[in-house]
Each structure stands twice: as C-alpha cells, then as structure tokens.
C-alpha cells in the first residue's frame, strides 16, 4: 500500500513509522484573504489569453546597443532634475544610501560645492527626483541619474523602443551604494569626461560598421558561462569588451589619447559588474513590451528604493503596489554586520522579473560564494521559481538542468496561490549615507504586494463583467 499526503507532515510521518510508503505533496493554502480575488481573476475570461500574449511579448523582444549619451540628451533630464531606483519616494522617507547618492549627484552637477549642503535643495523642492522606471530607464542600487551622467541606449530592433541605464562604477565606495566622498566624485567626473565619450565613439563605430552589439545574444551566452546576470556578470563584461576593444583602440586614430584608451580598457576589464548595466535595460525593454495588457496578471517590474518594495503588473497600468523593503540575508564585507545594512534597494530586480538573476541561480553555482547558500540551494531556487511563472525562456537555457529554459513571467495568481515569493540576488548598501557597499545576499519581496495587486486585478475584472 502507498499513501499520498498533502500539506503538513504529521500524517505522512505516522504512516512511514508503520512501514507504509508515502508520496508527499507540498501544498499550502493560498495567502490569507485572497480566496475570493483568486477565484475572480482565475475565472476572468480575458486572463489566459492575456497572460499568453504578455509573456510572448517578453520572449519575442531582443535588445541591441545603439548609443551612449549623457542623460540630458538620452532622456531629456534638466539641471536640478534627478532619477532614482524603485517606486516614487519623498526626501523625508528616503533611506541613508538614497540620500547619500542624491547628495553626491547634486555636487557632481555643481548645484552645491559640498554634498552635505544638498539636503536643503531636495527638502525645498529646488531639486526634484522621480523613478527611473517613469523615464524608460533603470538604475542599480540607489539608481540615481543626473543630467551629466552618460547612459547606455538599448533598442528593440523591431519596434524601435528604447531603454537606458547609467555606466557601472564598480564596487565598494560608489555613488549607487550611497557613497559621495571626493574619490567617488573624482571617479564620476572621469567617467563623464573620458569613459562616456570613448564608449560613445566605440559603440557608434561598431554600430555603423558590423552592426550594433547584440546584448540579447551576449545574455544568452553568458548564462551558459556561469553568469546569472545580476550579481555575476564576469563573462558578459568580457564579451562586451571583446566586441568594443578594437573600436576603442581605433579611437586613437580619431584623436583619443592612447593613455585614456588604456585606462578605459583597464576600468571595464577590471569591473566584473560592468555588463549589469546592459542586462538591466535589456530586461526592462522586454518587460515593457507587455505593459498595458488588459487582464494579464504577469509582473512587469519589481523595484526597491531602500524604503519601499514595489511591483507593477501588465494588467494594471503603471500603478505601483508597495510594501516595506526587506533586509537581505547574506555575507558581509570586512567588519560590517546586519546592523549596518539598509533595507533592499535598486531596480536590478528587473533581472529576476525577466527570468534571470535569482531565477537563474542554477546556472551560476559560483554566485553562492558571494550571496551565501549552497549549490543545491541554487538548483532548488531555479526549480522553485517555475512554480510561480508562466513560461520557460527559450534563449536562456541552463546546462546543469539539461538546458531547461529559465522561469519567466511571474504570475501574481500563482504567487498568491502557492505562497512562493520571487527570489532576488542583491547587493547590500550601508544604512548610513556615505558608507557604500557592506555586503551581498538574498532577499524576497514583502508578501503583501501580491495580494494588493491581485485585489486590483479582481476589481478590474468585476468592473468589466458588470459593464461599469
């Protein structure tokens, strides 16, 4: 005789103690209070087709690198205007690293001589800030974008839609982790004066010669080379350097200094996270293709501002559903510990939203050394994310899982029904403004954002059914 048990292990344990074979089924009730909304959304006549169209739009989108421009030209940022990661935020509610990054950016723009004088600008409204996601952009960690910062410009070759992201500064004491010391500002000025213009020349030369860098193609390859494209981008960075290095060197024929070219090659080659700032806008480009799909419960953005964690859903327009950002569980640098870490921050969870990062942990077992955990944990995480997603990505195959595609298209109804939350790989910023990075780890969204999105989907469904 063999028995099947569901949920709690009490019965299974008792049967096994009596030498009865047991097949255990991992089941748990839906998230509390979601039963009626789940029934409404699951039975919505639009949902199945809408979800299929939404996830297919994501799978069909590809991205190429077409330009590198200052933010003022790329997205029209004006003096005194800044962007930040995550859902909308006020200065009063901003965390330490978010404040530190904005203060440093204000000094970079020459609005103040000393970053410590910048808070008055933001408190008075003389300087403003709003989400990157509202301007076809994404930003890692604090994600602060200033008008003079150079940005990668990615394009979907079929539709011509574009997304943007700043250039990666590296690790440690950097602006995106809230640091704003003189060395941070010196590096940013070098990036503006040297790195951005040289990359622009190289990207344009490649684009106009053999065709633009195929960012989607690089993503496909790097996922089979041990990167998960969130906290590990080593292979992707080196492939980008392979594509751009000849044009960078040829820049000396266009007047670039050989010493500057050598420094750019050293900077990019020595920064394993450089490709992250291309992976992120590539993911946003794909997910934005699904925005506005009426009836779809697929998540199109997960983002954090260091205070709130927010999600957006294909069938609910640009509305944010937010809850308190969580502190990551992981490993710390030097003498830092949990009390030094700020709650989760950054738009980089756009990678998990698209099906890589924490969702592709199985393809990057080396990442467990940075974020904590074990190799079996990494394999189990990718398998578990299939429970809450709509599809497998055909281009993002995982060799160790027999080339199964990564789980793609988070379904709000499946999250609420199973209680399984998306897994995110993340860096940890210091809680105090000016600290920089203190560690890296694993984190999940606050559970309440998914029932909130489900409730709005259910209300829209009922309104359609009633003709309201």
């Amino acid at each position: 005789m063999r028995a099947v048990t569901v949920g709690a292990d009490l019965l299974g344990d008792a049967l096994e103690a009596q030498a009865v074979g047991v097949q255990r089924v991992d089941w748990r009730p839906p998230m509390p209070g979601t039963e009626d909304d789940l029934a409404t959304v699951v039975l919505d006549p639009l949902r199945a087709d809408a979800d299929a169209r939404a996830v297919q739009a994501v799978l069909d989108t590809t991205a190429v690198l077409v330009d590198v421009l200052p933010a003022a030209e790329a997205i029209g940022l004006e003096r005194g205007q800044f962007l930040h990661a995550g859902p909308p935020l006020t200065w009063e509610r901003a965390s330490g690293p978010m404040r530190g990054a904005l203060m440093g950016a204000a000094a970079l723009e020459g609005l103040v001589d000393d970053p410590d004088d910048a808070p008055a600008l933001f408190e008075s409204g003389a300087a403003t800030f709003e989400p990157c996601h509202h301007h076809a952009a994404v930003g890692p960690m604090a994600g602060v974008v200033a008008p003079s910062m150079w940005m990668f410009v990615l394009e979907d070759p079929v539709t011509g839609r574009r997304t943007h992201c700043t250039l990666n500064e590296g690790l440690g004491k950097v602006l995106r982790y809230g640091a704003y010391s003189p060395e941070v500002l010196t590096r940013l000025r070098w990036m503006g004066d040297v790195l951005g213009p040289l990359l622009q020349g190289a990207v344009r030369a490649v684009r106009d010669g053999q065709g633009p860098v195929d960012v989607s193609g690089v993503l496909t390859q790097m996922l089979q080379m041990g990167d998960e494209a969130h906290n590990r981008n080593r292979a992707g960075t080196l492939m980008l350097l392979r594509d751009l290095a000849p044009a960078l060197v040829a820049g000396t024929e266009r007047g670039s200094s050989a010493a500057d070219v050598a420094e750019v090659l050293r900077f990019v080659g020595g920064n394993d996270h450089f490709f992250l700032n291309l992976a992120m806008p590539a993911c946003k480009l794909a997910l934005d293709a699904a925005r506005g799909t009426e009836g779809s419960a697929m998540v199109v953005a997960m983002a954090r501002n260091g205070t709130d964690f927010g999600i957006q859903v294909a069938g609910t327009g640009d509305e944010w559903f937010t809850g308190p950002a969580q502190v990551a569980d992981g490993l710390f640098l030097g003498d830092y510990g949990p009390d030094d870490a700020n709650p989760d921050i950054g738009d980089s969870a756009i990678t998990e939203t698209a099906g890589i990062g924490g969702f592709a942990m199985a393809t990057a077992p080396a990442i467990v050394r940075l974020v904590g955990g074990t190799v079996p944990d990494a394999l189990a995480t990718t398998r578990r994310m299939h429970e809450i997603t709509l599809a497998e990505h055909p281009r993002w195959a995982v060799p160790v899982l027999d080339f199964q595609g990564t789980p793609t298209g988070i379904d709000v109804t499946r999250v609420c029904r199973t209680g399984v939350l998306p897994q995110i790989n993340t860096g940890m910023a210091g809680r105090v403004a000016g600290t920089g990075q203190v560690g890296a780890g694993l984190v999940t969204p606050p559970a309440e954002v998914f029932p909130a999105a489900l409730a709005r989907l259910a209300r829209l469904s009922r309104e359609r059914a009633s003709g309201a």
Side-chain angles (χ1 to χ4, degrees):
M1 183 175 71
R2 188 171 181 82
V4 176
T5 65
V6 178
D9 289 329
L10 182 63
L11 176 60
D13 292 344
L15 290 171
E16 284 183 336
Q18 300 173 61
V20 175
V22 175
Q23 177 67 48
R24 298 172 189 261
V25 176
D26 184 15
W27 179 88
R28 69 200 72 183
M31 289 182 172
T34 62
E35 294 84 356
D36 290 345
D37 290 335
L38 265 175
T40 299
V41 175
V42 169
L43 294 174
D44 186 330
L46 294 184
R47 189 185 64 89
D49 180 63
D51 281 346
R53 285 186 289 111
V55 76
Q56 193 60 50
V58 172
L59 301 180
D60 288 344
T61 300
T62 58
V64 293
L65 174 60
V66 295
D67 214 341
V68 183
L69 292 168
E73 296 179 39
I75 54 178
L77 278 191
E78 298 179 351
R79 183 174 172 79
Q81 185 180 13
F82 300 90
L83 303 185
H84 67 81
L89 185 69
T90 62
W91 179 260
E92 291 72 22
R93 298 187 66 245
S95 64
M98 181 62 76
R99 290 188 177 198
L102 288 166
M103 292 158 61
L108 179 70
E109 295 300 299
L111 299 178
V112 292
D113 293 329
D114 186 334
D116 290 331
D117 294 332
L121 292 176
F122 296 105
E123 290 168 351
S124 67
T128 63
F129 53 98
E130 55 187 320
C132 292
H133 269 290
H134 295 185
H135 291 264
V138 278
M141 303 309 290
V144 168
V145 182
S148 69
M149 291 180 178
W150 289 72
M151 305 187 82
F152 289 122
V153 182
L154 273 62
E155 183 175 285
D156 174 5
V158 174
T159 65
R161 290 185 302 104
R162 291 185 168 189
T163 51
H164 312 81
C165 188
T166 53
L167 312 181
N168 194 285
E169 310 162 73
L171 295 175
K173 283 192 175 298
V174 289
L175 190 84
R176 73 177 189 280
Y177 279 97
Y180 55 79
S181 62
E183 68 185 90
V184 173
L185 297 181
T186 297
R187 184 189 306 113
L188 287 170
R189 291 187 177 108
W190 175 81
M191 292 173 69
D193 294 339
V194 178
L195 178 64
L198 263 62
L199 282 177
Q200 181 189 65
V203 167
R204 289 180 174 180
V206 170
R207 178 196 66 192
D208 299 338
Q210 61 265 41
V213 174
D214 181 356
V215 176
S216 295
V218 173
L219 272 170
T220 297
Q221 295 175 69
M222 64 193 280
L223 287 171
Q224 297 192 24
M225 298 168 69
D227 285 352
E228 41 73 87
H230 186 168
N231 260 320
R232 184 178 170 89
N233 290 271
R234 181 168 296 177
T237 297
L238 294 177
M239 281 190 281
L240 176 70
L241 200 58
R242 174 200 61 185
D243 289 344
L244 295 183
L248 280 166
V249 173
T252 57
E253 299 171 1
R254 301 189 294 270
S256 299
S257 155
D260 285 343
V261 170
E263 186 57 26
V264 165
L265 292 171
R266 273 194 294 269
F267 181 81
V268 176
N271 176 5
D272 288 343
H273 280 64
F274 198 76
F275 192 82
L276 171 63
N277 292 39
L278 286 162
M280 288 173 57
C283 291
K284 178 169 175 59
L285 195 60
L287 290 157
D288 278 358
R291 284 181 180 270
T293 306
E294 185 179 18
S296 173
M298 192 185 79
V299 177
V300 294
M302 296 193 294
R304 318 82 99 196
N305 57 33
T307 303
D308 305 315
F309 190 116
I311 66 169
Q312 294 179 305
V313 178
T316 58
D318 292 332
E319 183 174 2
W320 289 97
F321 303 95
T322 63
Q326 312 293 299
V327 176
D329 180 18
L331 303 178
F332 291 89
L333 305 176
D335 295 330
Y336 292 121
D339 292 341
D340 300 307
N342 195 77
D344 196 23
I345 186 170
D347 286 335
S348 54
I350 196 73
T351 56
E352 278 82 7
T353 317
I356 50 179
F359 283 43
M361 286 276 282
T363 204
I367 197 65
V368 300
R369 287 195 168 187
L370 176 65
V371 298
T374 65
V375 172
D377 290 341
L379 296 173
T381 296
T382 294
R383 291 191 176 108
R384 189 168 65 252
M385 293 301 101
H386 283 284
E387 296 182 32
I388 58 171
T389 49
L390 296 166
E392 295 175 4
H393 203 299
R395 291 194 300 275
W396 295 343
V398 181
V400 73
L401 295 181
D402 199 19
F403 293 95
Q404 181 182 28
T406 62
T408 298
I410 300 167
D411 180 358
V412 168
T413 67
R414 297 182 196 216
V415 174
C416 291
R417 196 177 67 209
T418 64
V420 174
L421 296 173
Q423 182 69 68
I424 298 168
N425 292 346
T426 188
M428 285 186 272
R431 186 181 294 274
V432 177
T435 301
Q437 185 177 10
V438 300
L442 303 173
V443 72
T444 58
E448 59 263 42
V449 300
F450 295 96
L454 181 73
R456 183 56 48 89
L457 286 163
R459 195 186 81 183
L460 292 171
S461 179
R462 294 179 188 118
E463 289 175 352
R464 279 197 305 274
S466 67

